[in-house]
Amino acid sequence: MASTAYFLRAFFEMSGRIRTGDDPDPPVKPVLTLLVGVIGGLMVGITSVGSGTVIMMCIMLLYPTLAALRLVGTDLVQAVPLVIAAAIGHVMVTGVDWGLLVPLLIGGAVGTFFGSKFASRVPQGLIRRGITIVLAVTASAMLGASPLLTGTIALVLVTVGPLVWRILVRRFSVHRDEPAEQAAARA
């Protein structure tokens, strides 16, 4: 659902149906945002799902003009306290597998550090496509698809997805006549 919503948002932006996500500071909707936080926090505490997928989708829907890098940054920073609170609760109640946790933390910290440094150099459109693909592949695995099918879905999305997107851009984009530099930055 999150992957589809993200794809549709990109399509509606490209076709001019909604404003492009380039606003660094859209007006905040405090009550709705608080409600998203409460429901997202509940989901994270119970299932560990939500801090990165459901909440990102909700932020994207509440703030459709928020720039992609700001969306990712906001989602990451809000996820930290949610995950810490859920982690403390689970360590106290159910425990964790420390042998699995330590290498995940080390590898994840290194990868996240370099990813955040690299993100500002990557075009927003590429970040959006990456988010959509990661969410779709994750969803297929979570829905019980075999590893072969999940890999095939990833391969198709990475190889055929950009071609389909180019066709959609040529047919529906309101930005067809803009200079090549702006179009490249948008992609």
Side-chain angles (χ1 to χ4, degrees):
M1 193 164 81
S3 178
T4 302
Y6 214 79
F7 169 80
L8 289 174
R9 176 185 173 205
F11 177 78
F12 290 145
E13 282 179 7
M14 177 264 304
S15 63
R17 291 185 175 102
I18 62 173
R19 197 171 130 224
T20 302
D22 58 2
D23 188 352
D25 295 308
V28 176
K29 302 168 187 164
V31 174
L32 289 174
T33 306
L34 180 68
L35 186 60
V36 166
V38 169
I39 293 169
L42 185 65
M43 289 177 63
V44 170
I46 293 172
T47 67
S48 114
V49 174
S51 63
T53 53
V54 175
I55 292 179
M56 178 181 268
M57 182 180 71
C58 291
I59 294 170
M60 177 188 69
L61 293 172
L62 280 174
Y63 304 100
T65 61
L66 184 62
L69 284 176
R70 281 309 253 318
L71 173 66
V72 171
T74 302
D75 185 55
L76 285 170
V77 172
Q78 69 77 31
V80 170
L82 261 63
V83 172
I84 288 173
I88 290 169
H90 281 279
V91 166
M92 292 171 50
V93 176
T94 61
V96 296
D97 184 333
W98 293 100
L100 179 64
L101 177 65
V102 171
L104 279 175
L105 283 176
I106 294 169
V110 170
T112 301
F113 175 78
F114 287 111
S116 65
K117 294 288 185 189
F118 185 66
S120 64
R121 298 180 187 144
V122 178
Q124 286 195 37
L126 191 59
I127 291 172
R128 289 183 182 141
R129 285 194 293 273
I131 292 168
T132 303
I133 291 169
V134 167
L135 291 174
V137 170
T138 303
S140 68
M142 291 180 74
L143 290 171
S146 70
L148 179 62
L149 179 57
T150 301
T152 302
I153 290 169
L155 184 62
V156 167
L157 290 174
V158 168
T159 57
V160 178
L163 300 173
V164 171
W165 186 253
R166 281 195 189 120
I167 292 167
L168 291 172
V169 167
R170 285 189 185 123
R171 176 162 169 115
F172 295 104
S173 179
V174 296
H175 308 287
R176 282 189 288 253
D177 300 325
E178 69 186 13
E181 305 85 46
Q182 289 178 345
R186 189 178 305 285

